[in-house]
Amino acid sequence: GGSLRQSTTPIFAGLQHGYGRGMRVEIVNQPATTGTDASATSAAWTTLVRRKEMRTGGRSYFIRGHLLSQFLGGSGQVWDNLTPLTQMANQEHETRIENPLKQRVERNADHAFIYVVTPAYGRNIPLEVINQLHQPSSPVDAANRPLIEAILRGEQYVPTSLVCTIREVDAMTGEELPSDISGTHTVQNPIQQQTLTDYII
């Protein structure tokens, strides 16, 4: 008999405006690397994370979302594997894609999973909201305007979605297998930017 393929170390596509551009990995049986919590930081992130959720008032609006989950061997120490996601988008990525993939990897030792995650970037700067910020009628204290403007400008680099592709293959032959998790799954990452009242710091 031939030998089973081995899990690969994740390959990264580099950075776009300081955040991960993409990740590709092949996982057989268990990840080749040990994952870690999100800990990477930067000036842009330090600004962005100051925005708070309106519903809870306490949690930050954005979190550092792993392209490759720490439970699938993804590092949280490098921006190559991280991108800003809303709490909701991160939760959806975990529930819809990462957890089912992790369970499948653990159950099927003779299958390989080719997993690619690509954030879609390209938001516009919400110039109308920035304009409102500096009007006499602005609801934002003058002292907080520079930070709110920095957050609004920083949000142009937040991805609009994560595009996740999974292919389940035979670990020996590499032949594609019929699979209900194979395919392309898109996790939307919308952000509230309509009015200044959306912005809490």
Side-chain angles (χ1 to χ4, degrees):
S3 64
L4 289 178
R5 301 150 91 92
Q6 299 290 307
S7 292
T8 63
T9 303
I11 298 164
F12 297 104
L15 299 177
Q16 182 151 337
H17 298 291
Y19 304 127
R21 278 185 55 212
M23 177 289 307
R24 184 189 191 282
V25 70
E26 188 168 341
I27 304 173
V28 189
N29 208 354
Q30 57 183 27
T33 50
T34 304
T36 52
D37 265 343
S39 59
T41 193
S42 66
W45 171 249
T46 303
T47 299
L48 208 55
V49 79
R50 293 284 297 277
R51 182 175 178 184
K52 298 285 183 274
E53 272 194 330
M54 203 181 295
R55 288 181 301 116
T56 59
R59 289 201 310 181
S60 61
Y61 189 86
F62 295 105
I63 63 166
R64 291 166 290 199
H66 287 63
L67 304 188
L68 178 62
S69 163
Q70 71 180 97
F71 303 111
L72 291 166
S75 169
Q77 295 166 353
V78 291
W79 279 110
D80 297 73
N81 190 46
L82 297 168
T83 195
L85 296 178
T86 62
Q87 300 274 357
M88 204 179 290
N90 191 65
Q91 188 60 53
E92 189 191 335
H93 187 211
E94 209 171 286
T95 313
R96 265 183 60 210
I97 295 152
E98 295 172 335
N99 291 345
L101 178 56
K102 181 175 176 286
Q103 288 164 8
R104 194 67 65 93
V105 165
E106 286 166 357
R107 281 206 312 268
N108 295 294
D110 54 349
H111 293 188
F113 299 85
I114 299 160
Y115 183 43
V116 180
V117 178
T118 312
Y121 292 104
R123 278 183 205 277
N124 295 322
I125 302 178
L127 292 172
E128 285 146 48
V129 184
I130 291 175
N131 198 19
Q132 289 166 28
L133 182 63
H134 300 291
Q135 298 305 317
S137 60
S138 172
V140 178
D141 286 344
N144 290 334
R145 286 176 203 172
L147 175 58
I148 299 278
E149 177 165 354
I151 292 169
L152 280 155
R153 290 187 179 278
E155 284 178 344
Q156 70 183 298
Y157 304 124
V158 170
T160 55
S161 64
L162 284 187
V163 182
C164 308
T165 308
I166 300 171
R167 283 176 51 223
E168 188 168 351
V169 301
D170 185 295
M172 196 84 75
T173 65
E175 190 182 333
E176 190 129 7
L177 298 166
S179 164
D180 59 346
I181 64 166
S182 285
T184 300
H185 313 276
T186 302
V187 175
Q188 298 299 336
N189 190 39
I191 56 185
Q192 295 301 123
Q193 292 185 307
Q194 282 66 46
T195 71
L196 285 168
T197 52
D198 289 330
Y199 287 80
I200 300 182
I201 52 172

